[in-house]
Amino acid sequence: MKGLIYKDIAIFFKSIDKKLVLIVAGAIILLMHNTGAYAGLLASVMLAMTIGMQNVMSFASDEKACWKKYQLAMPVNAVSVVTSKYISVVCTLAVSLMGSILFNLLSSMVFRSFDIVVWGVSMAASVIVPIFWTGICLPLTYWFGFRSAQTMGVIAVIPMFYFIKYFEDGAGFSAMTNSIHSYVLAAGTAAVVLFAISMIISMIGYNRKK
């Protein structure tokens, strides 16, 4: 399985679109300019969304290459193939987490503001958002193909957009500070449960493919 995980992680990095990087970088700079002390949080969410999308996009390469035919000729089963995908997603969370730390550090230096709660929520979001994203989109990829997952990924941007606007427009973070820990805990628990269920559904979907 180590080889499969290495393959998936290598594809993740090799398939990164330079245009996407430029667009995301521009969006993050704009967010950091407009959101002040919460810049690190919003930038972390944006990066986490990108990591989730990139994972789904990179897994489309298996579908295009008809990986199922190659897998049948190799000493690996469907469980190993799907499990390696999900493990590789967990591995890429390190990129999202490191990015969150960097953005919050930069934000703290620029705006001379350090809020441990903002840092904590930012790092939690950097892990939870990609897990939710792939947890929803990967089963769609295995059952209905990459296009359906791509469509769902576009739809998933909408609530994220409103989340960002919520902070930009004023009330935002200060209005939910007292209950933020319970929100993060609930979201984290839901993400883990969704991820586990998603993997089982993906295995069933992969097994039914010819």
Side-chain angles (χ1 to χ4, degrees), residues 46-203:
M46 178 64 72
L47 177 62
M49 290 167 58
T50 306
I51 296 294
M53 286 189 288
Q54 182 60 34
N55 269 312
V56 175
M57 290 170 63
S58 64
F59 291 156
S61 61
D62 280 357
E63 185 176 312
K64 293 177 182 178
C66 299
W67 164 254
K68 180 74 172 182
K69 295 180 180 179
Y70 292 102
Q71 183 256 312
L72 293 173
M74 299 173 65
V76 292
N77 55 31
V79 174
S80 297
V81 172
V82 176
T83 301
S84 69
K85 294 285 188 187
Y86 281 78
I87 292 176
S88 71
V89 170
V90 174
C91 291
T92 60
L93 295 180
V95 178
S96 186
L97 188 59
M98 289 174 61
S100 176
I101 294 172
L102 179 62
F103 289 138
N104 277 283
L105 182 61
L106 181 61
S107 175
S108 296
M109 291 173 61
V110 172
F111 298 103
R112 297 180 181 179
S113 172
F114 179 84
D115 189 328
I116 190 63
V117 177
V118 174
W119 275 67
V121 174
S122 299
M123 289 186 283
S126 71
V127 173
I128 292 171
V129 171
I131 287 179
F132 263 117
W133 206 294
T134 51
I136 293 172
C137 292
L138 282 183
L140 291 173
T141 300
Y142 285 116
W143 277 85
F144 306 111
F146 170 64
R147 294 302 175 188
S148 63
Q150 191 177 42
T151 301
M152 179 55 71
V154 173
I155 295 174
V157 170
I158 298 174
M160 292 294 178
F161 171 78
Y162 280 104
F163 173 80
I164 291 173
K165 288 298 294 179
Y166 179 66
F167 285 94
E168 281 189 306
D169 291 341
F173 196 77
S174 59
M176 56 191 294
T177 302
N178 293 332
S179 56
I180 196 66
H181 297 292
S182 59
Y183 282 124
V184 170
L185 181 60
T189 302
V192 171
V193 172
L194 173 66
F195 204 63
I197 295 174
S198 170
M199 186 165 65
I200 295 172
I201 296 174
S202 293
M203 287 178 183

Side-chain angles (χ1 to χ4, degrees), residues 14-70:
K14 288 182 179 179
S15 62
I16 293 176
D17 191 336
K18 293 180 180 179
K19 293 180 181 178
L20 177 62
V21 172
L22 291 174
I23 293 172
V24 172
I28 288 175
I29 291 173
L30 184 62
L31 279 174
M32 296 189 76
H33 176 71
N34 292 334
T35 53
Y38 303 126
L41 171 61
L42 277 301
S44 297
V45 172
M46 178 64 72
L47 177 62
M49 290 167 58
T50 306
I51 296 294
M53 286 189 288
Q54 182 60 34
N55 269 312
V56 175
M57 290 170 63
S58 64
F59 291 156
S61 61
D62 280 357
E63 185 176 312
K64 293 177 182 178
C66 299
W67 164 254
K68 180 74 172 182
K69 295 180 180 179
Y70 292 102

